[in-house]
Amino acid sequence: MGTKILVVDDDKNICELLKLYLENEGYSVFVANDGQEAVNRFQAKAPELVLLDIMLPKMDGWQVCREIRKTSNAPIIMLSAKGETFDKVLGLELGADDYVTKPFDAKEVMARVKAVLRRTNGTPDTESEKKKLVVFDNLEINIENYELKVKGEIIDTPPKELELIYYFASNPNIVYTRDQLLDKVWGFEYYGDSRTVDVHVKRLREKLEGVSDKWELRTVWGVGYKFATKD
């Protein structure tokens, strides 16, 4: 049986289209057409990834995302006809890993699914093969088993946040623009906007605030961000 993916959309035609493409790639696909069914199927099937529509009967995608995040860090790619920045930022703040706006090209969705799963499953890029564990004062980032430790304690972290802090900490004191980070961390052409990076950095700062006086995730105004060390 292939990697399990849950497709959630009240449009059965979209579900059938995505199911066809995903099964052709060797994935095992489960479908839900409303929010409550999505939560039930997630709990029953424990999929490795969720494609989640926002506008759903019974329980909307935001609430489904919240329910999933109570028990799992499985990657979530939001699907929606809403393309406003607010919707993208809200989805990311709730723990979604990516956002695709309808109408979408099914091939684009497949590319995103593969990219997210490749990283979540710990398949290293060439640059990171040698260094799967990055350690700083009170901070350990293990990209092989997707584990973030702060002061020795494991912190629940969605995959994309962990990849971002891993990339920063693997390249200390180098300033990256938002576009560079989208390219390096997301790993494919991203159709969202630079607020995606800002949201992930904000969430990381909430987890890492006051952890150490020897490093910080610093904003370089007018440019981007860097992982600054203070040795």
Side-chain angles (χ1 to χ4, degrees):
M1 180 180 281
T3 298
K4 293 181 290 185
I5 294 178
L6 175 62
V7 176
V8 186
D9 200 303
D10 59 342
D11 186 329
K12 294 183 179 180
N13 290 328
I14 288 177
C15 288
E16 285 304 310
L17 175 68
L18 291 174
K19 188 172 187 287
L20 177 65
Y21 270 85
L22 288 163
E23 288 182 342
N24 283 342
E25 294 289 340
Y27 300 115
S28 295
V29 183
F30 307 98
V31 171
N33 300 126
D34 66 63
Q36 188 58 60
E37 184 186 9
V39 173
N40 294 343
R41 299 221 80 181
F42 184 88
Q43 293 171 346
K45 300 294 185 180
E48 282 97 329
L49 182 140
V50 182
L51 289 168
L52 176 62
D53 188 30
I54 293 174
M55 303 304 289
L56 294 167
K58 298 186 181 179
M59 183 187 298
D60 66 25
W62 308 131
Q63 187 59 36
V64 173
C65 188
R66 290 188 187 98
E67 290 299 314
I68 289 173
R69 282 290 170 260
K70 288 179 181 178
T71 59
S72 173
N73 278 326
I76 298 172
I77 300 177
M78 305 295 283
L79 306 173
S80 177
K82 292 190 171 185
E84 297 300 319
T85 298
F86 169 79
D87 295 300
K88 294 179 182 179
V89 172
L90 178 58
L92 294 166
E93 285 180 339
L94 290 175
D97 296 271
D98 199 0
Y99 193 111
V100 181
T101 304
K102 297 177 183 178
F104 51 74
D105 183 334
K107 292 180 181 178
E108 177 200 340
V109 178
M110 295 306 106
R112 295 187 184 215
V113 166
K114 289 179 182 179
V116 168
L117 288 173
R118 186 167 60 245
R119 287 163 173 75
T120 307
N121 292 335
T123 303
D125 294 330
T126 303
E127 294 178 3
S128 61
E129 283 180 350
K130 297 178 182 177
K131 191 166 58 174
K132 296 176 181 177
L133 178 66
V134 179
V135 180
F136 284 89
D137 181 52
N138 291 331
L139 179 70
E140 288 186 24
I141 309 155
N142 189 325
I143 200 66
E144 186 169 29
N145 60 8
Y146 272 69
E147 201 171 75
L148 175 68
K149 285 186 180 179
V150 174
K151 294 184 176 179
E153 293 189 8
I154 296 174
I155 305 297
D156 280 343
T157 309
K160 199 55 62 182
E161 281 181 46
L162 192 137
E163 290 161 19
L164 184 58
I165 188 60
Y166 173 80
Y167 188 77
F168 274 129
S170 297
N171 302 280
N173 300 311
I174 298 175
V175 181
Y176 292 100
T177 67
R178 291 166 177 81
D179 286 342
Q180 285 175 323
L181 291 167
L182 283 171
D183 180 58
K184 294 292 186 182
V185 176
W186 274 253
F188 52 89
E189 188 175 0
Y190 188 74
Y191 293 93
D193 55 70
S194 61
R195 286 292 302 277
T196 301
V197 176
D198 297 339
V199 170
H200 282 74
V201 169
K202 175 176 175 285
R203 292 211 308 251
L204 282 169
R205 281 178 169 155
E206 290 170 355
K207 292 180 172 72
L208 302 175
E209 186 176 5
V211 167
S212 174
D213 59 2
K214 296 182 180 179
W215 53 264
E216 67 173 327
L217 195 50
R218 184 181 298 170
T219 299
V220 181
W221 296 109
V223 183
Y225 300 100
K226 72 174 178 177
F227 186 88
T229 58
K230 306 174 185 177
D231 294 334

